[in-house]
Short mmCIF file of all heavy atoms in Angstrom, two decimals:
data_model
loop_
_atom_site.label_atom_id
_atom_site.label_comp_id
_atom_site.label_asym_id
_atom_site.label_seq_id
_atom_site.Cartn_x
_atom_site.Cartn_y
_atom_site.Cartn_z
N ARG A 1 0.82 -1.21 0.00
CA ARG A 1 0.00 0.00 0.00
C ARG A 1 0.85 1.26 0.00
O ARG A 1 0.40 2.33 -0.42
CB ARG A 1 -0.94 0.00 1.21
CG ARG A 1 -2.10 -0.97 1.05
CD ARG A 1 -3.07 -0.87 2.21
NE ARG A 1 -2.49 -1.35 3.45
CZ ARG A 1 -3.13 -1.37 4.61
NH1 ARG A 1 -4.38 -0.92 4.69
NH2 ARG A 1 -2.54 -1.84 5.70
N SER A 2 2.08 1.15 0.47
CA SER A 2 3.05 2.25 0.35
C SER A 2 4.21 1.72 -0.49
O SER A 2 4.32 0.53 -0.73
CB SER A 2 3.56 2.66 1.74
OG SER A 2 4.26 1.59 2.35
N ASP A 3 5.07 2.65 -0.96
CA ASP A 3 6.23 2.15 -1.69
C ASP A 3 7.22 1.57 -0.68
O ASP A 3 7.15 1.83 0.51
CB ASP A 3 6.86 3.23 -2.57
CG ASP A 3 7.39 4.42 -1.79
OD1 ASP A 3 7.87 4.24 -0.65
OD2 ASP A 3 7.32 5.54 -2.32
N LEU A 4 8.13 0.77 -1.19
CA LEU A 4 9.04 0.06 -0.30
C LEU A 4 9.96 1.02 0.45
O LEU A 4 10.24 0.81 1.64
CB LEU A 4 9.88 -0.95 -1.09
CG LEU A 4 10.74 -1.89 -0.25
CD1 LEU A 4 9.87 -2.74 0.66
CD2 LEU A 4 11.60 -2.78 -1.15
N ARG A 5 10.40 2.08 -0.21
CA ARG A 5 11.26 3.03 0.48
C ARG A 5 10.52 3.67 1.66
O ARG A 5 11.08 3.84 2.75
CB ARG A 5 11.74 4.12 -0.47
CG ARG A 5 12.69 5.08 0.23
CD ARG A 5 13.04 6.26 -0.63
NE ARG A 5 13.84 7.20 0.14
CZ ARG A 5 13.84 8.51 -0.06
NH1 ARG A 5 13.08 9.03 -0.99
NH2 ARG A 5 14.59 9.30 0.66
N GLY A 6 9.24 4.02 1.46
CA GLY A 6 8.46 4.59 2.54
C GLY A 6 8.32 3.63 3.70
O GLY A 6 8.36 4.02 4.88
N TRP A 7 8.15 2.35 3.38
CA TRP A 7 8.04 1.31 4.42
C TRP A 7 9.35 1.21 5.20
O TRP A 7 9.36 1.13 6.43
CB TRP A 7 7.68 0.00 3.76
CG TRP A 7 7.40 -1.14 4.69
CD1 TRP A 7 6.34 -1.27 5.55
CD2 TRP A 7 8.17 -2.34 4.84
NE1 TRP A 7 6.41 -2.47 6.22
CE2 TRP A 7 7.52 -3.14 5.81
CE3 TRP A 7 9.34 -2.81 4.24
CZ2 TRP A 7 8.02 -4.39 6.18
CZ3 TRP A 7 9.83 -4.05 4.61
CH2 TRP A 7 9.17 -4.83 5.58
N LEU A 8 10.48 1.23 4.47
CA LEU A 8 11.79 1.16 5.13
C LEU A 8 12.03 2.39 6.00
O LEU A 8 12.57 2.29 7.11
CB LEU A 8 12.90 1.04 4.07
CG LEU A 8 12.97 -0.28 3.31
CD1 LEU A 8 13.93 -0.16 2.14
CD2 LEU A 8 13.38 -1.42 4.23
N VAL A 9 11.63 3.57 5.52
CA VAL A 9 11.77 4.79 6.31
C VAL A 9 10.96 4.69 7.60
O VAL A 9 11.39 5.11 8.67
CB VAL A 9 11.34 6.02 5.49
CG1 VAL A 9 11.13 7.24 6.39
CG2 VAL A 9 12.38 6.33 4.42
N GLY A 10 9.75 4.10 7.50
CA GLY A 10 8.93 3.92 8.70
C GLY A 10 9.62 3.05 9.73
O GLY A 10 9.57 3.34 10.94
N ILE A 11 10.26 1.98 9.27
CA ILE A 11 11.01 1.12 10.19
C ILE A 11 12.17 1.90 10.80
O ILE A 11 12.42 1.83 12.02
CB ILE A 11 11.53 -0.13 9.46
CG1 ILE A 11 10.35 -1.01 9.00
CG2 ILE A 11 12.48 -0.93 10.36
CD1 ILE A 11 10.76 -2.18 8.14
N ALA A 12 12.88 2.67 9.96
CA ALA A 12 14.01 3.45 10.46
C ALA A 12 13.56 4.46 11.51
O ALA A 12 14.25 4.67 12.52
CB ALA A 12 14.70 4.17 9.29
N LYS A 13 12.42 5.09 11.30
CA LYS A 13 11.90 6.05 12.28
C LYS A 13 11.69 5.37 13.63
O LYS A 13 12.00 5.94 14.69
CB LYS A 13 10.58 6.66 11.80
CG LYS A 13 10.73 7.69 10.69
CD LYS A 13 9.36 8.23 10.30
CE LYS A 13 9.47 9.26 9.19
NZ LYS A 13 8.14 9.77 8.78
N ASN A 14 11.13 4.17 13.61
CA ASN A 14 10.90 3.44 14.86
C ASN A 14 12.22 3.12 15.55
O ASN A 14 12.32 3.22 16.79
CB ASN A 14 10.11 2.16 14.59
CG ASN A 14 8.66 2.43 14.24
OD1 ASN A 14 8.10 3.46 14.63
ND2 ASN A 14 8.05 1.53 13.51
N LYS A 15 13.22 2.73 14.77
CA LYS A 15 14.52 2.43 15.36
C LYS A 15 15.16 3.68 15.97
O LYS A 15 15.79 3.62 17.04
CB LYS A 15 15.45 1.82 14.30
CG LYS A 15 14.95 0.52 13.68
CD LYS A 15 14.73 -0.55 14.74
CE LYS A 15 14.18 -1.83 14.12
NZ LYS A 15 13.90 -2.86 15.15
N ILE A 16 15.00 4.80 15.28
CA ILE A 16 15.56 6.05 15.79
C ILE A 16 14.85 6.45 17.09
O ILE A 16 15.48 6.93 18.04
CB ILE A 16 15.43 7.15 14.72
CG1 ILE A 16 16.36 6.84 13.55
CG2 ILE A 16 15.77 8.52 15.32
CD1 ILE A 16 16.12 7.70 12.32
N ARG A 17 13.53 6.26 17.14
CA ARG A 17 12.80 6.58 18.38
C ARG A 17 13.31 5.74 19.55
O ARG A 17 13.41 6.22 20.69
CB ARG A 17 11.31 6.34 18.17
CG ARG A 17 10.64 7.35 17.26
CD ARG A 17 9.13 7.21 17.24
NE ARG A 17 8.55 8.06 16.23
CZ ARG A 17 8.07 7.64 15.06
NH1 ARG A 17 8.11 6.34 14.77
NH2 ARG A 17 7.56 8.48 14.19
N GLU A 18 13.64 4.48 19.28
CA GLU A 18 14.19 3.63 20.33
C GLU A 18 15.52 4.20 20.84
O GLU A 18 15.78 4.19 22.04
CB GLU A 18 14.39 2.21 19.79
CG GLU A 18 13.10 1.47 19.48
CD GLU A 18 13.34 0.12 18.83
OE1 GLU A 18 14.52 -0.30 18.74
OE2 GLU A 18 12.36 -0.52 18.39
N VAL A 19 16.34 4.68 19.91
CA VAL A 19 17.62 5.28 20.29
C VAL A 19 17.39 6.53 21.11
O VAL A 19 18.08 6.80 22.11
CB VAL A 19 18.45 5.59 19.04
CG1 VAL A 19 19.68 6.44 19.40
CG2 VAL A 19 18.90 4.30 18.36
N ARG A 20 16.40 7.33 20.73
CA ARG A 20 16.16 8.62 21.39
C ARG A 20 15.69 8.48 22.83
O ARG A 20 15.82 9.43 23.60
CB ARG A 20 15.12 9.42 20.60
CG ARG A 20 15.69 9.89 19.31
CD ARG A 20 14.76 10.83 18.60
NE ARG A 20 15.36 11.14 17.32
CZ ARG A 20 16.43 11.87 17.16
NH1 ARG A 20 17.00 12.41 18.21
NH2 ARG A 20 16.94 12.08 15.97
N ARG A 21 15.12 7.34 23.14
CA ARG A 21 14.69 7.15 24.53
C ARG A 21 15.89 7.16 25.49
O ARG A 21 15.72 7.35 26.69
CB ARG A 21 13.93 5.83 24.65
CG ARG A 21 12.61 5.83 23.88
CD ARG A 21 11.77 4.62 24.22
NE ARG A 21 10.60 4.55 23.38
CZ ARG A 21 10.43 3.69 22.38
NH1 ARG A 21 11.37 2.79 22.13
NH2 ARG A 21 9.33 3.70 21.65
N LYS A 22 17.09 6.96 24.93
CA LYS A 22 18.30 6.94 25.75
C LYS A 22 19.09 8.25 25.64
O LYS A 22 20.12 8.39 26.27
CB LYS A 22 19.19 5.78 25.32
CG LYS A 22 18.48 4.43 25.35
CD LYS A 22 19.37 3.35 24.76
CE LYS A 22 18.65 2.01 24.70
NZ LYS A 22 19.49 0.95 24.07
N LYS A 23 18.59 9.17 24.81
CA LYS A 23 19.32 10.43 24.59
C LYS A 23 18.34 11.59 24.69
O LYS A 23 17.17 11.44 24.40
CB LYS A 23 19.96 10.44 23.19
CG LYS A 23 20.96 9.32 22.97
CD LYS A 23 21.39 9.26 21.52
CE LYS A 23 22.11 10.50 21.09
NZ LYS A 23 22.59 10.43 19.70
N ALA A 24 18.86 12.78 25.07
CA ALA A 24 17.96 13.92 25.16
C ALA A 24 18.56 15.26 24.72
O ALA A 24 18.12 16.30 25.17
CB ALA A 24 17.45 14.06 26.58
N PRO A 25 19.56 15.29 23.85
CA PRO A 25 20.08 16.59 23.41
C PRO A 25 19.14 17.23 22.39
O PRO A 25 18.45 16.51 21.66
CB PRO A 25 21.42 16.23 22.75
CG PRO A 25 21.20 14.86 22.23
CD PRO A 25 20.28 14.19 23.21
N ARG A 26 19.11 18.52 22.31
CA ARG A 26 18.30 19.18 21.29
C ARG A 26 19.22 19.66 20.18
O ARG A 26 19.77 20.75 20.22
CB ARG A 26 17.52 20.34 21.87
CG ARG A 26 16.61 20.98 20.82
CD ARG A 26 15.57 21.87 21.43
NE ARG A 26 14.71 22.45 20.41
CZ ARG A 26 13.69 21.81 19.85
NH1 ARG A 26 13.39 20.58 20.23
NH2 ARG A 26 12.96 22.39 18.92
N ARG A 27 19.36 18.82 19.19
CA ARG A 27 20.17 19.14 18.02
C ARG A 27 19.30 19.04 16.79
O ARG A 27 18.11 18.79 16.88
CB ARG A 27 21.36 18.17 17.94
CG ARG A 27 22.29 18.27 19.15
CD ARG A 27 23.42 17.29 19.05
NE ARG A 27 22.95 15.90 19.09
CZ ARG A 27 23.74 14.85 18.90
NH1 ARG A 27 25.00 15.01 18.63
NH2 ARG A 27 23.23 13.62 18.99
N ILE A 28 19.89 19.21 15.60
CA ILE A 28 19.10 19.21 14.37
C ILE A 28 18.34 17.90 14.21
O ILE A 28 17.20 17.85 13.75
CB ILE A 28 19.99 19.48 13.13
CG1 ILE A 28 19.13 19.54 11.86
CG2 ILE A 28 21.08 18.44 12.98
CD1 ILE A 28 18.11 20.64 11.87
N GLU A 29 18.99 16.78 14.62
CA GLU A 29 18.31 15.50 14.47
C GLU A 29 17.08 15.39 15.37
O GLU A 29 16.10 14.72 15.03
CB GLU A 29 19.27 14.34 14.73
CG GLU A 29 20.07 14.42 16.02
CD GLU A 29 21.40 15.11 15.84
OE1 GLU A 29 21.54 15.90 14.88
OE2 GLU A 29 22.30 14.88 16.66
N ASP A 30 17.11 16.04 16.54
CA ASP A 30 15.96 16.04 17.43
C ASP A 30 14.83 16.88 16.85
O ASP A 30 13.65 16.54 16.96
CB ASP A 30 16.34 16.57 18.81
CG ASP A 30 17.41 15.71 19.47
OD1 ASP A 30 17.12 14.54 19.77
OD2 ASP A 30 18.53 16.20 19.63
N VAL A 31 15.21 17.99 16.24
CA VAL A 31 14.21 18.83 15.58
C VAL A 31 13.52 18.04 14.48
O VAL A 31 12.30 18.10 14.31
CB VAL A 31 14.87 20.11 15.01
CG1 VAL A 31 13.87 20.89 14.17
CG2 VAL A 31 15.40 20.97 16.14
N LEU A 32 14.30 17.30 13.70
CA LEU A 32 13.72 16.48 12.63
C LEU A 32 12.75 15.46 13.18
O LEU A 32 11.69 15.21 12.61
CB LEU A 32 14.84 15.78 11.85
CG LEU A 32 15.53 16.61 10.78
CD1 LEU A 32 16.83 15.95 10.37
CD2 LEU A 32 14.63 16.81 9.59
N ALA A 33 13.13 14.84 14.29
CA ALA A 33 12.28 13.79 14.86
C ALA A 33 10.91 14.30 15.23
O ALA A 33 9.91 13.59 15.10
CB ALA A 33 12.96 13.18 16.08
N GLU A 34 10.82 15.53 15.69
CA GLU A 34 9.53 16.07 16.10
C GLU A 34 8.82 16.80 14.97
O GLU A 34 7.72 17.31 15.15
CB GLU A 34 9.70 17.02 17.28
CG GLU A 34 10.37 18.33 16.94
CD GLU A 34 10.50 19.25 18.15
OE1 GLU A 34 10.64 18.73 19.28
OE2 GLU A 34 10.45 20.47 17.95
N SER A 35 9.44 16.85 13.79
CA SER A 35 8.89 17.63 12.69
C SER A 35 8.27 16.78 11.60
O SER A 35 7.81 17.31 10.59
CB SER A 35 10.00 18.50 12.07
OG SER A 35 10.52 19.39 13.01
N ASP A 36 8.23 15.46 11.77
CA ASP A 36 7.74 14.60 10.70
C ASP A 36 6.33 14.97 10.26
O ASP A 36 6.02 15.00 9.07
CB ASP A 36 7.79 13.13 11.14
CG ASP A 36 9.21 12.58 11.14
OD1 ASP A 36 10.01 13.05 10.32
OD2 ASP A 36 9.49 11.70 11.95
N ALA A 37 5.44 15.22 11.21
CA ALA A 37 4.06 15.54 10.87
C ALA A 37 3.99 16.85 10.08
O ALA A 37 3.24 16.96 9.09
CB ALA A 37 3.20 15.63 12.13
N ASP A 38 4.78 17.84 10.50
CA ASP A 38 4.80 19.11 9.79
C ASP A 38 5.37 18.95 8.38
O ASP A 38 4.88 19.55 7.42
CB ASP A 38 5.65 20.13 10.56
CG ASP A 38 5.07 20.45 11.92
OD1 ASP A 38 3.90 20.86 11.97
OD2 ASP A 38 5.77 20.29 12.92
#
């Protein structure tokens, strides 16, 4: 229902969220993480 790259990106987002639970700096990558919906 989605293209394969979109599916892979979705998996990557979940993996990144798992990593973020152990980190809390506010850098460009953190901004990106909270900006997906926008």
Side-chain angles (χ1 to χ4, degrees):
R1 286 185 292 180
S2 63
D3 62 34
L4 188 61
R5 182 187 174 210
W7 186 68
L8 290 170
V9 165
I11 295 174
K13 286 181 180 179
N14 288 334
K15 300 302 178 183
I16 292 168
R17 289 188 188 105
E18 292 175 7
V19 170
R20 289 188 185 290
R21 295 190 186 106
K22 305 174 184 178
K23 300 171 63 177
R26 183 164 181 81
R27 298 179 295 174
I28 183 61
E29 51 268 23
D30 299 295
V31 173
L32 278 164
E34 71 179 31
S35 300
D36 285 330
D38 297 304

